[in-house]
């Protein structure tokens, strides 16, 4: 292990597919050890995971860190947002967690919006208009489809809450993650009693919302974990809020995160409330706000298209007039939970490379459509976009974002920004600093800047037109339709 200048801290990223742990020098930001372990997600109609896999993965990732984890003075967990974790009286999962990209609750989302005052009222009260990803809609789905699971539930948690509670024995959450549930009022920063009563959720089942910078507790010594006695536990937060901390993000700078899902967000000092539902009015982990738009289909969907075509993910070909909307898992932005992928404009001269480029274009188009909505009106539109996530270092992703945005793009050299943000939060407990200031001291956002190129307005307009024309079809999705009746079936040779 490299000699550290300051105390060591651990930052955790429990994402959809795996859990990662970084041991970081709080003085310099140097990563001195790391570990990672996978967990599984169900396929089929829903997207579910057993929370106990997250704990097992965390234990494995920490043990991979070796002695460095034992020397750490504080730990914090950043996690995938929105997931519904239901626990029984023993703290064991009642059923697998319903994850953010499980869209079975789309009907419940529509009903909740209508029954509690409509989109404008939701945006004013909670900052967001809930879609199928929001936790409140998943609870409503569970109550309707699995009432026995609801009756057995004695605690309701988010993914990062679950791991934090396993560490400390205390049920807590933070404002950044809880703002994505749909049952937390952003105006009062308290649980919303009207919403909870409407969906039949007892507030006593929910965790305490801790303050930014508060020490949640210490790691219990009842676990086979490599922590020393008295290791402090920070509040943790949702993955996007953690990444914002990890970048030391200031107001006016937009982030495009290219992962399984795509997100675009910025820090704001104004409480957001978009009645169209495009922008979610999340809180950040510090006391400001994090207006954010999310797409369900990003790198995973584009990689699937590449695999179907038998191409490497970088084997794009410019030109062509084909449009591909890669909505393979339904879509959240635009709000089309039942949609599937759509291909338009196929011609004899369309190549496989054209199709792959069209998949990139369709994914980026959805993100850029929300870019101006997450930025404050007085933000400098010439500031480079920060490109992060698994796709950020891909040349095809970089060039597509540059071409369709017409803006410079900066790619931070720091990796694992969610875990780094959690580590900065843990470091803040020790130093008394704002975690974002810690990350700026670590210089995590440093990286090459790719200059702006002329915006490809023609492609943007073409995709927008196809999306508009195809919306009725996309809204119906792949539900069974009655067969066309007529005389054609009776024609004989």
């Amino acid at each position: 292990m490299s000699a550290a200048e300051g105390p060591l801290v651990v930052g955790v990223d429990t994402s959809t597919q795996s859990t990662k742990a970084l041991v970081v020098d709080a003085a310099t930001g140097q990563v001195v050890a790391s570990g990672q372990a996978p967990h599984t997600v169900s396929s089929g109609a829903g997207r579910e995971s057993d929370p106990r896999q997250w704990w097992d993965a965390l234990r494995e990732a920490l043990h991979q860190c070796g002695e460095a984890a034992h020397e750490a003075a504080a730990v914090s967990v950043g996690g995938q947002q929105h997931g519904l974790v239901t626990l029984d009286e023993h703290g064991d999962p009642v059923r697998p967690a319903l994850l953010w990209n499980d869209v079975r609750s789309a009907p419940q989302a529509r009903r909740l919006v209508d029954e509690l005052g409509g989109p404008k009222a939701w945006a004013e009260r909670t900052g967001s208009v809930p879609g199928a990803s929001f936790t409140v809609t998943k609870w409503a789905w569970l109550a309707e489809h699995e009432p026995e699971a609801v009756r057995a539930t004695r605690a309701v948690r988010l993914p990062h809450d679950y791991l934090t509670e396993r560490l400390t024995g205390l049920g807590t959450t933070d404002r950044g993650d809880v703002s994505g549930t749909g049952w937390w009022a952003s105006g009062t920063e308290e649980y919303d009693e009207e919403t909870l009563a409407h969906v039949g959720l007892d507030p006593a089942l929910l965790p305490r919302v801790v303050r930014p910078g508060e020490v949640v507790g210490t790691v219990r010594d009842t676990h086979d974990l490599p922590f020393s006695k008295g290791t402090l536990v920070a509040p943790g937060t949702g993955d996007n809020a953690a990444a914002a901390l990890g970048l030391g993000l200031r107001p006016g700078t937009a982030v495009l995160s290219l992962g399984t899902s795509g997100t675009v967000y910025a820090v704001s000092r104004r409480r957001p409330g978009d009645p169209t539902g495009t922008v979610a009015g999340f809180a950040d982990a510090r006391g400001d706000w994090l207006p954010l738009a999310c797409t369900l289909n990003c790198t995973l969907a584009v990689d699937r298209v590449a695999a179907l075509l038998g191409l490497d993910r970088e084997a794009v070909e410019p030109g062509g007039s084909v449009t591909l909307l890669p909505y393979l898992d339904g879509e959240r932005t635009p709000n089309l939970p039942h949609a599937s992928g759509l291909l338009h404009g196929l011609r004899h001269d369309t190549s496989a490379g054209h199709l792959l480029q069209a998949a990139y274009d369709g994914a980026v188009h959805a993100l850029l459509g929300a870019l101006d909505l997450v930025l404050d009106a007085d933000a400098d539109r010439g500031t480079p976009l920060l490109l992060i996530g698994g796709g950020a270092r891909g040349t095809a992703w970089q060039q597509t974002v540059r071409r369709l945005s017409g803006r410079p793009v900066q790619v931070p050299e720091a990796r694992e920004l969610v875990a780094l943000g959690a580590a900065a939060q843990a470091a803040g407990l020790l130093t008394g600093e704002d975690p974002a200031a810690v990350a700026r001291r670590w210089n995590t956002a440093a990286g090459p800047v790719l200059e702006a190129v002329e915006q490809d307005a023609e492609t943007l307009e073409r995709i927008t037109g196809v999306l508009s024309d195809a919306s009725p079809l996309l809204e119906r999705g792949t539900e069974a339709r009655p067969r066309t009746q007529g005389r054609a079936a009776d024609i004989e040779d």
Side-chain angles (χ1 to χ4, degrees), residues 175 189 212 284-289:
R175 70 192 296 273
E189 300 209 21
D284 76 353
R286 299 173 51 256
D288 288 328
W289 303 94

Side-chain angles (χ1 to χ4, degrees), residues 52-184:
R52 288 169 292 202
Q53 285 195 2
W54 307 337
W55 177 252
D56 291 341
L58 174 59
R59 292 173 61 207
E60 172 61 25
L62 287 170
H63 280 291
Q64 290 175 22
C65 294
E67 180 62 23
H70 181 73
E71 295 181 14
V75 58
S76 183
V77 179
Q80 54 175 308
Q81 293 182 257
H82 301 306
L84 175 65
V85 180
T86 51
L87 304 176
D88 64 17
E89 66 271 20
H90 305 296
D92 295 323
V94 172
R95 69 177 314 285
L98 298 170
L99 302 187
W100 61 273
N101 54 349
D102 188 318
V103 297
R104 287 176 291 178
S105 61
Q108 287 74 24
R110 289 192 292 269
R111 286 205 300 269
L112 286 175
V113 171
D114 291 340
E115 291 166 359
L116 288 175
K120 188 172 185 293
W122 273 93
E124 290 174 351
R125 186 171 65 252
T126 70
S128 304
V129 181
S133 60
F134 279 65
T135 324
V136 67
T137 73
K138 300 179 189 306
W139 176 261
W141 181 92
L142 196 65
E144 184 174 333
H145 291 273
E146 299 180 20
E148 69 285 354
V150 167
R151 287 192 293 269
T153 297
R154 296 294 178 269
V156 172
R157 302 291 185 260
L158 296 166
H160 113 261
D161 306 342
Y162 173 77
L163 291 180
T164 301
E165 186 167 1
R166 290 288 300 263
L167 288 170
T168 65
L170 303 171
T172 62
T173 190
D174 92 301
R175 70 192 296 273
D177 213 1
V178 77
S179 66
T181 59
W183 55 55
W184 184 79

Side-chain angles (χ1 to χ4, degrees), residues 68-347:
H70 181 73
E71 295 181 14
V75 58
S76 183
V77 179
Q80 54 175 308
Q81 293 182 257
H82 301 306
L84 175 65
V85 180
T86 51
L87 304 176
D88 64 17
E89 66 271 20
H90 305 296
D92 295 323
V94 172
R95 69 177 314 285
L98 298 170
L99 302 187
W100 61 273
N101 54 349
D102 188 318
V103 297
R104 287 176 291 178
S105 61
Q108 287 74 24
R110 289 192 292 269
R111 286 205 300 269
L112 286 175
V113 171
D114 291 340
E115 291 166 359
L116 288 175
K120 188 172 185 293
W122 273 93
E124 290 174 351
R125 186 171 65 252
T126 70
S128 304
V129 181
S133 60
F134 279 65
T135 324
V136 67
T137 73
K138 300 179 189 306
W139 176 261
W141 181 92
L142 196 65
E144 184 174 333
H145 291 273
E146 299 180 20
E148 69 285 354
V150 167
R151 287 192 293 269
T153 297
R154 296 294 178 269
V156 172
R157 302 291 185 260
L158 296 166
H160 113 261
D161 306 342
Y162 173 77
L163 291 180
T164 301
E165 186 167 1
R166 290 288 300 263
L167 288 170
T168 65
L170 303 171
T172 62
T173 190
D174 92 301
R175 70 192 296 273
D177 213 1
V178 77
S179 66
T181 59
W183 55 55
W184 184 79
S186 62
T188 62
E189 300 209 21
E190 296 177 345
Y191 287 123
D192 188 73
E193 294 181 1
E194 180 183 2
T195 301
L196 292 173
H198 189 80
V199 299
L201 178 55
D202 183 349
L205 304 185
L206 299 175
R208 181 173 70 91
V209 183
V210 300
R211 301 182 304 276
E214 181 178 343
V215 176
V216 168
T218 58
V219 176
R220 294 187 288 177
D221 56 8
T222 56
H223 299 306
D224 177 26
L225 295 175
F227 290 119
S228 57
K229 185 176 181 180
T231 302
L232 301 179
V233 181
T237 192
D239 51 5
N240 291 296
L245 287 182
L247 289 165
L249 201 61
R250 299 180 187 273
T253 299
V255 176
L256 266 68
S257 178
L258 307 174
T260 303
S261 65
T263 54
V264 55
Y265 56 85
V267 168
S268 176
R269 296 202 167 92
R270 304 183 183 98
R271 184 172 72 91
D274 176 14
T276 73
T278 301
V279 174
F282 294 152
D284 76 353
R286 299 173 51 256
D288 288 328
W289 303 94
L290 198 72
L292 177 149
C294 178
T295 64
L296 293 182
N297 300 276
C298 195
T299 59
L300 192 64
V302 172
D303 284 353
R304 179 58 180 154
V305 172
L308 287 171
L309 297 170
L311 295 178
D312 180 271
R313 64 179 59 150
E314 295 289 344
V316 296
E317 185 177 344
S321 58
V322 66
T323 298
L324 202 164
L325 303 179
Y327 302 162
L328 307 190
D329 276 326
E331 190 45 80
R332 174 170 163 176
T333 304
N335 186 24
L336 297 166
H338 299 298
S340 56
L342 185 142
L343 178 64
H344 177 76
L346 195 64
R347 296 186 179 278

